[in-house]
Amino acid sequence: MTSAYAGHSRWRWTGPGSSGPDWERRAAPPPRSPRALPGPGGAHSTRKAAFDGLAPTEPDLEKARALIKEAGASGATLTVATSSIGQDVSLLATAVQAAGTQIGLDIRLKSIAPNAFTALFTDPGAREGIDMFPLTYYQSITDPLDLLANFRTGAYLNFAGYSDKSYDELVDRATAAHDPEQRMKAETKLQHHAADRLLWIPVAEWPTSVFLNQRITGAPTTIAYLYYPWAADVGAAP
């Protein structure tokens, strides 16, 4: 998945599982908002609160094995979709299979044709029999809500069917807030909610690089290059 906060790529997992009828597992560290908040101290304290207390992302295989055993899931079989649609999809599927094996799960890969793989995003029937599938996810704006709103009840990318009234109310509050700091305070609560309930699980992140010098300007530095006529803005610096 490519999740682009200012052009960064992230992996995302989704499929049937543990947080409801289905579950969603997203890859990448929790998003960091680059937006500048006004005020000498409020901005810093709000950002600090957004990341303080989040669970560490370092692997802990022994603890993972213990959790699998505690859940009575040792040797459980999970089916992960993979496809030749992109190298990122096959790489992540293989990596998750290896990680699952290390903690006592039986991860089986199911190869799906590229044209059928895209149906996983729109057709619940296509996801039947599949526990997880990877996708490249990106964000179009540098605001955490662009990601966090995906866990709202009925959201298009909420494949897990996750639903929580308090979470939905926080999304509404953040959306309606005009003051940037008040908006970020609501988003801080959303981030902790999502992290505590494992709605987003880090797996991988990589940068999308852009190289510029004094001879050329105007190239986009965000994911907008996928759908914006960016070449029209490229030119030489005066």
Side-chain angles (χ1 to χ4, degrees), residues 74-89:
S74 298
T77 299
L78 294 174
T79 300
V80 176
T82 186
S83 176
S84 60
I85 192 170
Q87 187 178 23
D88 51 354
V89 172

Side-chain angles (χ1 to χ4, degrees), residues 3-22:
S3 165
Y5 277 107
H8 277 71
S9 300
R10 305 173 186 271
W11 289 101
R12 163 186 179 159
W13 277 107
T14 184
S18 62
S19 4
D22 296 310

Side-chain angles (χ1 to χ4, degrees), residues 80-172:
V80 176
T82 186
S83 176
S84 60
I85 192 170
Q87 187 178 23
D88 51 354
V89 172
S90 57
L91 281 173
L92 185 56
T94 302
V96 169
Q97 183 182 45
T101 300
Q102 286 183 296
I103 62 174
L105 295 173
D106 180 11
I107 307 293
R108 300 182 182 182
L109 302 185
K110 181 177 181 180
S111 185
I112 298 178
N115 60 332
F117 190 84
T118 56
L120 296 176
F121 305 104
T122 57
D123 182 6
R127 297 193 291 268
E128 292 201 4
I130 294 174
D131 297 297
M132 297 181 285
F133 70 94
L135 64 88
T136 297
Y137 181 82
Y138 60 85
Q139 294 196 203
S140 299
I141 59 175
T142 53
D143 188 321
L145 193 62
D146 198 34
L147 162 68
L148 294 168
N150 289 330
F151 303 119
R152 181 177 178 164
T153 302
Y156 171 69
L157 291 179
N158 186 2
F159 301 117
Y162 182 76
S163 180
D164 186 290
K165 184 178 179 181
S166 65
Y167 192 91
D168 296 347
E169 290 173 349
L170 277 172
V171 172
D172 290 340

Side-chain angles (χ1 to χ4, degrees), residues 19-51:
S19 4
D22 296 310
W23 66 271
E24 202 165 69
R25 290 292 180 264
R26 305 191 177 211
R32 299 180 181 269
S33 172
R35 72 188 300 169
L37 300 179
H44 175 75
S45 61
T46 301
R47 289 193 186 95
K48 187 173 185 298
F51 297 96

